[in-house]
Amino acid sequence: MAKKKVATKLEREHMSKVASLGCLVCQRPANVHHIRPVGLGIGMRSGHYQTIPLCYDHHQGQFSIHNCKEQFEAMYGTEEELLHRTLKEIKNIEQVNNFFNLKGENQ
C-alpha cells in the first residue's frame, strides 16, 4: 500500500480554507473530504487541493458521501460539482478580502 503524501504548507492552508467554509450541505463545522474521481482505485484519494468541506454526518455518518454515495450525489451534486462550488466560494472570499485589504491601504 502506498504511503499517504504529507501535505505541504500551501496544501494545509488550502484545506484550512476549505474547512472554514462549513459543511456544503448543512453549514455545520466541517472537515475536508478528498474527492474520489471516477477511475481512482479503492483506498486511493485525490490530491489535497481536491477537497470539499463536509461535517461528520455528511462525510462519514449513516447518510453520507462515504456510506451512500449515489444517493448523496443525487441529492447534493457530484463530488466534482461540489469541488467546483467549493473552489468558487474560496475564490469569492479571497476577492472580498483582497478588496478590503487594498481599500484599507489607500486610506
PDB file of all heavy atoms in Angstrom, residues 3-30:
ATOM      1  N   LYS A   3       2.176   4.987   0.696  1.00  0.00           N
ATOM      2  CA  LYS A   3       2.150   5.878   1.836  1.00  0.00           C
ATOM      3  C   LYS A   3       1.390   7.155   1.488  1.00  0.00           C
ATOM      4  O   LYS A   3       1.496   7.651   0.372  1.00  0.00           O
ATOM      5  CB  LYS A   3       3.599   6.231   2.196  1.00  0.00           C
ATOM      6  CG  LYS A   3       3.877   6.383   3.636  1.00  0.00           C
ATOM      7  CD  LYS A   3       5.357   6.605   3.835  1.00  0.00           C
ATOM      8  CE  LYS A   3       5.655   6.764   5.291  1.00  0.00           C
ATOM      9  NZ  LYS A   3       7.043   7.097   5.528  1.00  0.00           N
ATOM     10  N   LYS A   4       0.600   7.681   2.421  1.00  0.00           N
ATOM     11  CA  LYS A   4      -0.109   8.929   2.175  1.00  0.00           C
ATOM     12  C   LYS A   4       0.896  10.071   2.122  1.00  0.00           C
ATOM     13  O   LYS A   4       1.785  10.169   2.971  1.00  0.00           O
ATOM     14  CB  LYS A   4      -1.128   9.208   3.269  1.00  0.00           C
ATOM     15  CG  LYS A   4      -2.325   8.300   3.209  1.00  0.00           C
ATOM     16  CD  LYS A   4      -3.344   8.677   4.249  1.00  0.00           C
ATOM     17  CE  LYS A   4      -4.505   7.719   4.211  1.00  0.00           C
ATOM     18  NZ  LYS A   4      -5.484   8.011   5.250  1.00  0.00           N
ATOM     19  N   LYS A   5       0.745  10.915   1.118  1.00  0.00           N
ATOM     20  CA  LYS A   5       1.643  12.054   0.945  1.00  0.00           C
ATOM     21  C   LYS A   5       1.342  13.114   2.004  1.00  0.00           C
ATOM     22  O   LYS A   5       0.192  13.499   2.198  1.00  0.00           O
ATOM     23  CB  LYS A   5       1.458  12.636  -0.456  1.00  0.00           C
ATOM     24  CG  LYS A   5       2.405  13.744  -0.771  1.00  0.00           C
ATOM     25  CD  LYS A   5       2.142  14.309  -2.156  1.00  0.00           C
ATOM     26  CE  LYS A   5       2.797  15.667  -2.247  1.00  0.00           C
ATOM     27  NZ  LYS A   5       2.042  16.584  -3.067  1.00  0.00           N
ATOM     28  N   VAL A   6       2.360  13.579   2.687  1.00  0.00           N
ATOM     29  CA  VAL A   6       2.211  14.619   3.692  1.00  0.00           C
ATOM     30  C   VAL A   6       1.920  15.940   2.982  1.00  0.00           C
ATOM     31  O   VAL A   6       2.564  16.287   1.995  1.00  0.00           O
ATOM     32  CB  VAL A   6       3.494  14.738   4.551  1.00  0.00           C
ATOM     33  CG1 VAL A   6       3.401  15.885   5.528  1.00  0.00           C
ATOM     34  CG2 VAL A   6       3.763  13.431   5.281  1.00  0.00           C
ATOM     35  N   ALA A   7       0.935  16.672   3.486  1.00  0.00           N
ATOM     36  CA  ALA A   7       0.538  17.934   2.876  1.00  0.00           C
ATOM     37  C   ALA A   7       1.616  18.992   3.072  1.00  0.00           C
ATOM     38  O   ALA A   7       2.208  19.095   4.147  1.00  0.00           O
ATOM     39  CB  ALA A   7      -0.773  18.408   3.486  1.00  0.00           C
ATOM     40  N   THR A   8       1.836  19.775   2.022  1.00  0.00           N
ATOM     41  CA  THR A   8       2.759  20.904   2.111  1.00  0.00           C
ATOM     42  C   THR A   8       2.083  22.043   2.873  1.00  0.00           C
ATOM     43  O   THR A   8       0.864  21.994   3.136  1.00  0.00           O
ATOM     44  CB  THR A   8       3.144  21.415   0.710  1.00  0.00           C
ATOM     45  OG1 THR A   8       1.960  21.966   0.089  1.00  0.00           O
ATOM     46  CG2 THR A   8       3.735  20.314  -0.152  1.00  0.00           C
ATOM     47  N   LYS A   9       2.828  23.077   3.186  1.00  0.00           N
ATOM     48  CA  LYS A   9       2.271  24.233   3.891  1.00  0.00           C
ATOM     49  C   LYS A   9       1.131  24.843   3.081  1.00  0.00           C
ATOM     50  O   LYS A   9       0.070  25.155   3.625  1.00  0.00           O
ATOM     51  CB  LYS A   9       3.360  25.274   4.151  1.00  0.00           C
ATOM     52  CG  LYS A   9       2.856  26.490   4.877  1.00  0.00           C
ATOM     53  CD  LYS A   9       3.926  27.528   5.095  1.00  0.00           C
ATOM     54  CE  LYS A   9       3.314  28.736   5.796  1.00  0.00           C
ATOM     55  NZ  LYS A   9       4.170  29.901   5.756  1.00  0.00           N
ATOM     56  N   LEU A  10       1.315  25.013   1.780  1.00  0.00           N
ATOM     57  CA  LEU A  10       0.259  25.595   0.941  1.00  0.00           C
ATOM     58  C   LEU A  10      -0.969  24.691   0.873  1.00  0.00           C
ATOM     59  O   LEU A  10      -2.105  25.173   0.888  1.00  0.00           O
ATOM     60  CB  LEU A  10       0.787  25.887  -0.469  1.00  0.00           C
ATOM     61  CG  LEU A  10       1.751  27.059  -0.588  1.00  0.00           C
ATOM     62  CD1 LEU A  10       2.276  27.173  -2.018  1.00  0.00           C
ATOM     63  CD2 LEU A  10       1.094  28.365  -0.151  1.00  0.00           C
ATOM     64  N   GLU A  11      -0.757  23.388   0.810  1.00  0.00           N
ATOM     65  CA  GLU A  11      -1.883  22.451   0.804  1.00  0.00           C
ATOM     66  C   GLU A  11      -2.642  22.508   2.128  1.00  0.00           C
ATOM     67  O   GLU A  11      -3.874  22.499   2.146  1.00  0.00           O
ATOM     68  CB  GLU A  11      -1.398  21.027   0.522  1.00  0.00           C
ATOM     69  CG  GLU A  11      -0.939  20.821  -0.909  1.00  0.00           C
ATOM     70  CD  GLU A  11      -0.227  19.509  -1.127  1.00  0.00           C
ATOM     71  OE1 GLU A  11       0.413  18.985  -0.178  1.00  0.00           O
ATOM     72  OE2 GLU A  11      -0.298  18.989  -2.257  1.00  0.00           O
ATOM     73  N   ARG A  12      -1.919  22.595   3.243  1.00  0.00           N
ATOM     74  CA  ARG A  12      -2.570  22.701   4.564  1.00  0.00           C
ATOM     75  C   ARG A  12      -3.375  23.996   4.658  1.00  0.00           C
ATOM     76  O   ARG A  12      -4.493  24.011   5.169  1.00  0.00           O
ATOM     77  CB  ARG A  12      -1.541  22.626   5.692  1.00  0.00           C
ATOM     78  CG  ARG A  12      -0.971  21.239   5.913  1.00  0.00           C
ATOM     79  CD  ARG A  12      -0.149  21.127   7.184  1.00  0.00           C
ATOM     80  NE  ARG A  12       0.854  22.151   7.368  1.00  0.00           N
ATOM     81  CZ  ARG A  12       2.113  22.091   6.894  1.00  0.00           C
ATOM     82  NH1 ARG A  12       2.505  21.036   6.210  1.00  0.00           N
ATOM     83  NH2 ARG A  12       2.955  23.076   7.120  1.00  0.00           N
ATOM     84  N   GLU A  13      -2.814  25.098   4.140  1.00  0.00           N
ATOM     85  CA  GLU A  13      -3.532  26.373   4.148  1.00  0.00           C
ATOM     86  C   GLU A  13      -4.809  26.270   3.316  1.00  0.00           C
ATOM     87  O   GLU A  13      -5.861  26.772   3.715  1.00  0.00           O
ATOM     88  CB  GLU A  13      -2.640  27.500   3.617  1.00  0.00           C
ATOM     89  CG  GLU A  13      -1.545  27.900   4.575  1.00  0.00           C
ATOM     90  CD  GLU A  13      -0.561  28.905   3.982  1.00  0.00           C
ATOM     91  OE1 GLU A  13      -0.743  29.337   2.810  1.00  0.00           O
ATOM     92  OE2 GLU A  13       0.405  29.251   4.682  1.00  0.00           O
ATOM     93  N   HIS A  14      -4.707  25.625   2.163  1.00  0.00           N
ATOM     94  CA  HIS A  14      -5.885  25.457   1.308  1.00  0.00           C
ATOM     95  C   HIS A  14      -6.948  24.630   2.028  1.00  0.00           C
ATOM     96  O   HIS A  14      -8.130  25.009   2.057  1.00  0.00           O
ATOM     97  CB  HIS A  14      -5.511  24.800  -0.026  1.00  0.00           C
ATOM     98  CG  HIS A  14      -6.707  24.497  -0.867  1.00  0.00           C
ATOM     99  ND1 HIS A  14      -7.374  25.465  -1.582  1.00  0.00           N
ATOM    100  CD2 HIS A  14      -7.389  23.343  -1.073  1.00  0.00           C
ATOM    101  CE1 HIS A  14      -8.402  24.924  -2.204  1.00  0.00           C
ATOM    102  NE2 HIS A  14      -8.434  23.629  -1.914  1.00  0.00           N
ATOM    103  N   MET A  15      -6.552  23.506   2.618  1.00  0.00           N
ATOM    104  CA  MET A  15      -7.522  22.655   3.309  1.00  0.00           C
ATOM    105  C   MET A  15      -8.155  23.379   4.497  1.00  0.00           C
ATOM    106  O   MET A  15      -9.328  23.168   4.804  1.00  0.00           O
ATOM    107  CB  MET A  15      -6.881  21.330   3.722  1.00  0.00           C
ATOM    108  CG  MET A  15      -6.577  20.428   2.530  1.00  0.00           C
ATOM    109  SD  MET A  15      -6.032  18.761   2.975  1.00  0.00           S
ATOM    110  CE  MET A  15      -4.410  19.097   3.664  1.00  0.00           C
ATOM    111  N   SER A  16      -7.410  24.258   5.142  1.00  0.00           N
ATOM    112  CA  SER A  16      -7.951  25.052   6.236  1.00  0.00           C
ATOM    113  C   SER A  16      -9.037  25.997   5.713  1.00  0.00           C
ATOM    114  O   SER A  16     -10.092  26.163   6.340  1.00  0.00           O
ATOM    115  CB  SER A  16      -6.833  25.840   6.915  1.00  0.00           C
ATOM    116  OG  SER A  16      -7.338  26.626   7.948  1.00  0.00           O
ATOM    117  N   LYS A  17      -8.786  26.610   4.558  1.00  0.00           N
ATOM    118  CA  LYS A  17      -9.795  27.481   3.935  1.00  0.00           C
ATOM    119  C   LYS A  17     -11.038  26.674   3.583  1.00  0.00           C
ATOM    120  O   LYS A  17     -12.168  27.133   3.785  1.00  0.00           O
ATOM    121  CB  LYS A  17      -9.243  28.136   2.667  1.00  0.00           C
ATOM    122  CG  LYS A  17      -8.205  29.189   2.909  1.00  0.00           C
ATOM    123  CD  LYS A  17      -7.663  29.712   1.582  1.00  0.00           C
ATOM    124  CE  LYS A  17      -6.467  30.616   1.789  1.00  0.00           C
ATOM    125  NZ  LYS A  17      -5.906  31.068   0.508  1.00  0.00           N
ATOM    126  N   VAL A  18     -10.840  25.483   3.039  1.00  0.00           N
ATOM    127  CA  VAL A  18     -11.962  24.618   2.671  1.00  0.00           C
ATOM    128  C   VAL A  18     -12.798  24.312   3.908  1.00  0.00           C
ATOM    129  O   VAL A  18     -14.016  24.503   3.909  1.00  0.00           O
ATOM    130  CB  VAL A  18     -11.470  23.317   1.985  1.00  0.00           C
ATOM    131  CG1 VAL A  18     -12.594  22.303   1.854  1.00  0.00           C
ATOM    132  CG2 VAL A  18     -10.863  23.623   0.621  1.00  0.00           C
ATOM    133  N   ALA A  19     -12.171  23.864   4.967  1.00  0.00           N
ATOM    134  CA  ALA A  19     -12.899  23.505   6.191  1.00  0.00           C
ATOM    135  C   ALA A  19     -13.621  24.719   6.783  1.00  0.00           C
ATOM    136  O   ALA A  19     -14.728  24.584   7.315  1.00  0.00           O
ATOM    137  CB  ALA A  19     -11.947  22.898   7.213  1.00  0.00           C
ATOM    138  N   SER A  20     -13.012  25.903   6.654  1.00  0.00           N
ATOM    139  CA  SER A  20     -13.612  27.106   7.239  1.00  0.00           C
ATOM    140  C   SER A  20     -14.922  27.499   6.565  1.00  0.00           C
ATOM    141  O   SER A  20     -15.702  28.272   7.133  1.00  0.00           O
ATOM    142  CB  SER A  20     -12.625  28.274   7.188  1.00  0.00           C
ATOM    143  OG  SER A  20     -12.510  28.776   5.869  1.00  0.00           O
ATOM    144  N   LEU A  21     -15.202  26.972   5.380  1.00  0.00           N
ATOM    145  CA  LEU A  21     -16.463  27.276   4.695  1.00  0.00           C
ATOM    146  C   LEU A  21     -17.657  26.665   5.413  1.00  0.00           C
ATOM    147  O   LEU A  21     -18.779  27.126   5.261  1.00  0.00           O
ATOM    148  CB  LEU A  21     -16.431  26.747   3.250  1.00  0.00           C
ATOM    149  CG  LEU A  21     -15.430  27.376   2.302  1.00  0.00           C
ATOM    150  CD1 LEU A  21     -15.428  26.623   0.975  1.00  0.00           C
ATOM    151  CD2 LEU A  21     -15.724  28.854   2.098  1.00  0.00           C
ATOM    152  N   GLY A  22     -17.435  25.611   6.182  1.00  0.00           N
ATOM    153  CA  GLY A  22     -18.528  24.872   6.800  1.00  0.00           C
ATOM    154  C   GLY A  22     -19.076  23.857   5.817  1.00  0.00           C
ATOM    155  O   GLY A  22     -18.817  23.919   4.614  1.00  0.00           O
ATOM    156  N   CYS A  23     -19.814  22.915   6.319  1.00  0.00           N
ATOM    157  CA  CYS A  23     -20.365  21.827   5.514  1.00  0.00           C
ATOM    158  C   CYS A  23     -21.184  22.384   4.350  1.00  0.00           C
ATOM    159  O   CYS A  23     -22.032  23.255   4.535  1.00  0.00           O
ATOM    160  CB  CYS A  23     -21.232  20.929   6.391  1.00  0.00           C
ATOM    161  SG  CYS A  23     -21.996  19.549   5.504  1.00  0.00           S
ATOM    162  N   LEU A  24     -20.934  21.870   3.146  1.00  0.00           N
ATOM    163  CA  LEU A  24     -21.671  22.315   1.966  1.00  0.00           C
ATOM    164  C   LEU A  24     -23.151  21.982   2.049  1.00  0.00           C
ATOM    165  O   LEU A  24     -23.965  22.615   1.392  1.00  0.00           O
ATOM    166  CB  LEU A  24     -21.091  21.668   0.700  1.00  0.00           C
ATOM    167  CG  LEU A  24     -19.734  22.164   0.241  1.00  0.00           C
ATOM    168  CD1 LEU A  24     -19.275  21.376  -0.978  1.00  0.00           C
ATOM    169  CD2 LEU A  24     -19.776  23.644  -0.087  1.00  0.00           C
ATOM    170  N   VAL A  25     -23.514  20.999   2.860  1.00  0.00           N
ATOM    171  CA  VAL A  25     -24.903  20.563   2.957  1.00  0.00           C
ATOM    172  C   VAL A  25     -25.648  21.323   4.053  1.00  0.00           C
ATOM    173  O   VAL A  25     -26.755  21.810   3.842  1.00  0.00           O
ATOM    174  CB  VAL A  25     -24.980  19.039   3.206  1.00  0.00           C
ATOM    175  CG1 VAL A  25     -26.419  18.589   3.404  1.00  0.00           C
ATOM    176  CG2 VAL A  25     -24.322  18.279   2.060  1.00  0.00           C
ATOM    177  N   CYS A  26     -25.040  21.435   5.234  1.00  0.00           N
ATOM    178  CA  CYS A  26     -25.780  21.975   6.386  1.00  0.00           C
ATOM    179  C   CYS A  26     -25.086  23.150   7.089  1.00  0.00           C
ATOM    180  O   CYS A  26     -25.615  23.656   8.074  1.00  0.00           O
ATOM    181  CB  CYS A  26     -26.048  20.858   7.387  1.00  0.00           C
ATOM    182  SG  CYS A  26     -24.548  20.223   8.170  1.00  0.00           S
ATOM    183  N   GLN A  27     -23.924  23.568   6.629  1.00  0.00           N
ATOM    184  CA  GLN A  27     -23.157  24.696   7.173  1.00  0.00           C
ATOM    185  C   GLN A  27     -22.589  24.477   8.574  1.00  0.00           C
ATOM    186  O   GLN A  27     -22.035  25.390   9.161  1.00  0.00           O
ATOM    187  CB  GLN A  27     -23.979  26.007   7.161  1.00  0.00           C
ATOM    188  CG  GLN A  27     -24.207  26.579   5.782  1.00  0.00           C
ATOM    189  CD  GLN A  27     -25.195  25.767   4.964  1.00  0.00           C
ATOM    190  OE1 GLN A  27     -26.294  25.485   5.438  1.00  0.00           O
ATOM    191  NE2 GLN A  27     -24.816  25.376   3.767  1.00  0.00           N
ATOM    192  N   ARG A  28     -22.712  23.265   9.114  1.00  0.00           N
ATOM    193  CA  ARG A  28     -22.080  22.995  10.414  1.00  0.00           C
ATOM    194  C   ARG A  28     -20.559  22.956  10.235  1.00  0.00           C
ATOM    195  O   ARG A  28     -20.067  22.841   9.115  1.00  0.00           O
ATOM    196  CB  ARG A  28     -22.570  21.663  10.986  1.00  0.00           C
ATOM    197  CG  ARG A  28     -23.999  21.740  11.479  1.00  0.00           C
ATOM    198  CD  ARG A  28     -24.410  20.489  12.195  1.00  0.00           C
ATOM    199  NE  ARG A  28     -24.377  19.364  11.257  1.00  0.00           N
ATOM    200  CZ  ARG A  28     -24.574  18.104  11.594  1.00  0.00           C
ATOM    201  NH1 ARG A  28     -24.806  17.770  12.837  1.00  0.00           N
ATOM    202  NH2 ARG A  28     -24.536  17.157  10.691  1.00  0.00           N
ATOM    203  N   PRO A  29     -19.791  23.017  11.325  1.00  0.00           N
ATOM    204  CA  PRO A  29     -18.331  22.906  11.215  1.00  0.00           C
ATOM    205  C   PRO A  29     -17.945  21.665  10.408  1.00  0.00           C
ATOM    206  O   PRO A  29     -18.591  20.617  10.514  1.00  0.00           O
ATOM    207  CB  PRO A  29     -17.871  22.803  12.667  1.00  0.00           C
ATOM    208  CG  PRO A  29     -18.925  23.548  13.434  1.00  0.00           C
ATOM    209  CD  PRO A  29     -20.214  23.223  12.718  1.00  0.00           C
ATOM    210  N   ALA A  30     -16.904  21.810   9.603  1.00  0.00           N
ATOM    211  CA  ALA A  30     -16.559  20.760   8.648  1.00  0.00           C
ATOM    212  C   ALA A  30     -15.101  20.342   8.721  1.00  0.00           C
ATOM    213  O   ALA A  30     -14.244  21.093   9.180  1.00  0.00           O
ATOM    214  CB  ALA A  30     -16.873  21.246   7.237  1.00  0.00           C
TER     215      ALA A  30
END
